[in-house]
Amino acid sequence: MDQIQHKYISVQGLKLHVADIGTGPNVIVFLHGFPEIWYTWRHQMIAAVNAGFRAIAPDYRGHGLSDPPPEPDKASCRDLINDLLAILEDLAIPKIFCFWFLVAKDFGCWPAYVLSLLYPDRALGVVTLGVPYIPASSRPDFKKPLPEGFYISRFQEPGRAEADFGRFDATTVFRNIYILFSRSEIPIAAENQEIMDLVDPSTPLPPWLSEEDLEAYGASYEKTGFQTALQITYRSKPDDMGITELVVKVPVLVIVGKKDYFNKFPGIEDIITSGMVKEFASDLELVYMPEGTHFAQEQSPDQFNQLMLTFLGKHI
C-alpha cells in the first residue's frame, strides 16, 4: 500500500484525486461504485502491479478526496466521462500507444462500458463485478415492481438520503452501507423508515472489512459529504455520449457474486442466465464466485484477482 502514489489532477477547476502505481503501456483503470473510492481496489492494484501492469484508480468528482463541483445538484454522467479522459491525458498516457483495461463495479460499470464503446481501439478489455452491459433500450425497469422503500427510489429523491446519512458521521454511514449491501437481499425500507435504519447499530462488520478500512472510507468523505456522489449515481440521467453502437466489441469478463443482492433486481437473473447479455457483448465471459457478495473484490481478493489477471493476460 505504501507504494501507491496519490496525485491531484486539475480538471475543470476541480482537484481530482488519483491513486497510481506501476509503469508501462498496459494500464488498468479501476472504477469504483457508490459511495466507494479508490481504496475499494487496494488489493487489485497491488496484484496488478505485481503482474506488470500500471494501475490507476481515481476518486470521481465529489467522491472521497476529489473536490465536489460548485453546483453538486448539476453534476452529470457526462462530467464523469470527461473527467476520466482528462485524468488519463494528464497522467501522460498518450493515445498513440497506450491501451486500457477497465475494471469496474456497481455504478462504475457504466463509464467502463461507455469508454469501451467510445474508444474500442484503446480498450483491450473490460472486467466488471456483477453488472453486464445492457443498453438503456433493453434495460429492465428496476423500480416499477419494487416497493417505495427500494433504496434506489429513496436515493433518487433529492435531499432524502443526504438527511438520512447526515444523522451520522461518515464512518458510521460506511459501516451501515457495508453491512447492509453485503447481504443477499435487496435493501428496502418500510414506509416510515429510512435506509440507514435498516442496520442495527450492534451488527458487526463483515469479517473481511477491518475497522482500519472503515476509517479510511469515512475519513475521505468528512469534507465532501455525499451529495455529489448521490447526484451522479442516482439522479443524473445516463448520457449516451453520442454512442450509436449498442454492442461492446472488446472482450468482457463479468464476475458474478452468487450472493450479490443485485442478482435479485427484477429481470437481471433472467438476462444473465438466458444468454441475452451475449447479444450486447460479442466476446463475453461469465464466471461465478459462489460466496461472492456485492463487495467480492474486497471479500475474496485472491479469488477475484486470479479471475481478473487470467482474463487480462489473455488479451494483452
Side-chain angles (χ1 to χ4, degrees):
M1 289 284 289
D2 292 341
Q3 302 167 23
I4 296 175
Q5 300 179 39
H6 296 274
K7 304 172 181 179
Y8 287 87
I9 295 170
S10 294
V11 180
Q12 298 180 10
L14 304 178
K15 288 184 178 180
L16 303 183
H17 171 256
V18 182
D20 183 9
I21 184 171
T23 58
N26 292 319
V27 177
I28 306 176
V29 182
F30 289 96
L31 302 174
H32 61 75
F34 171 87
E36 295 157 307
I37 56 172
W38 75 272
Y39 191 80
T40 196
W41 297 114
R42 60 197 180 280
H43 305 298
Q44 286 68 46
M45 294 184 74
I46 299 300
V49 74
N50 288 339
F53 293 92
R54 181 178 181 184
I56 295 169
D59 291 345
Y60 311 145
R61 59 172 55 199
H63 292 65
L65 299 176
S66 289
D67 287 346
E71 299 178 281
D73 60 331
K74 294 182 180 179
S76 71
C77 293
R78 183 175 285 262
D79 289 331
L80 176 54
I81 296 296
N82 290 335
D83 288 347
L84 292 171
L85 292 171
I87 285 168
L88 291 171
E89 292 297 329
D90 193 279
L91 290 174
I93 303 175
K95 292 181 181 179
I96 57 172
F97 73 89
C98 175
F99 302 97
W100 311 326
F101 284 106
L102 300 153
V103 178
K105 65 159 295 190
D106 194 71
F107 173 75
C109 298
W110 177 81
Y113 287 127
V114 168
L115 287 170
S116 71
L117 287 164
L118 287 172
Y119 300 97
D121 55 333
R122 295 181 68 183
L124 290 174
V126 177
V127 178
T128 64
L129 176 55
V131 183
Y133 175 63
I134 309 171
S137 58
S138 301
R139 199 170 300 145
D141 183 351
F142 301 137
K143 290 172 57 179
K144 193 172 182 180
L146 293 173
E148 173 274 339
F150 177 39
Y151 79 94
I152 288 181
S153 299
R154 292 290 182 85
F155 289 176
Q156 286 179 332
E157 184 179 337
R160 184 159 189 171
E162 289 91 329
D164 183 14
F165 293 1
R167 295 177 294 151
F168 309 97
D169 60 49
T171 299
T172 302
V173 171
F174 270 97
R175 177 184 293 276
N176 290 346
I177 285 174
Y178 265 84
I179 292 170
L180 185 60
F181 288 85
S182 62
R183 297 170 180 170
S184 59
E185 298 300 321
I186 299 173
I188 298 175
E191 184 176 351
N192 296 316
Q193 184 183 41
E194 297 302 326
I195 298 298
M196 290 288 100
D197 295 329
L198 290 171
V199 180
D200 186 310
S202 65
T203 305
L205 285 173
W208 39 265
L209 189 75
S210 70
E211 292 289 344
E212 183 182 7
D213 294 330
L214 194 67
E215 288 293 335
Y217 281 118
S220 70
Y221 268 91
E222 287 293 350
K223 291 184 179 179
T224 58
F226 295 93
Q227 184 181 4
T228 305
L230 286 159
Q231 169 66 26
I232 291 177
T233 307
Y234 295 105
R235 301 169 191 163
S236 174
K237 190 174 181 179
D239 191 324
D240 64 10
M241 301 292 291
I243 296 169
T244 56
E245 174 59 70
L246 297 181
V247 177
V248 175
K249 299 293 180 62
V250 306
V252 175
L253 172 66
V254 178
I255 300 173
V256 180
K258 292 286 282 185
K259 295 186 178 180
D260 187 342
Y261 71 88
F262 179 69
N263 298 327
K264 295 184 178 178
F265 273 34
I268 286 298
E269 187 174 10
D270 289 342
I271 287 173
I272 292 175
T273 58
S274 70
M276 183 179 175
V277 288
K278 295 187 178 181
E279 296 177 17
F280 310 124
S282 58
D283 185 359
L284 174 70
E285 292 183 47
L286 282 167
V287 296
Y288 291 88
M289 294 178 62
E291 298 300 315
T293 68
H294 194 65
F295 303 100
Q297 86 288 359
E298 293 184 88
Q299 174 196 8
S300 303
D302 291 344
Q303 184 182 5
F304 186 96
N305 293 347
Q306 183 178 10
L307 294 171
M308 175 186 74
L309 292 172
T310 299
F311 172 80
L312 300 184
K314 292 190 293 186
H315 298 289
I316 294 178

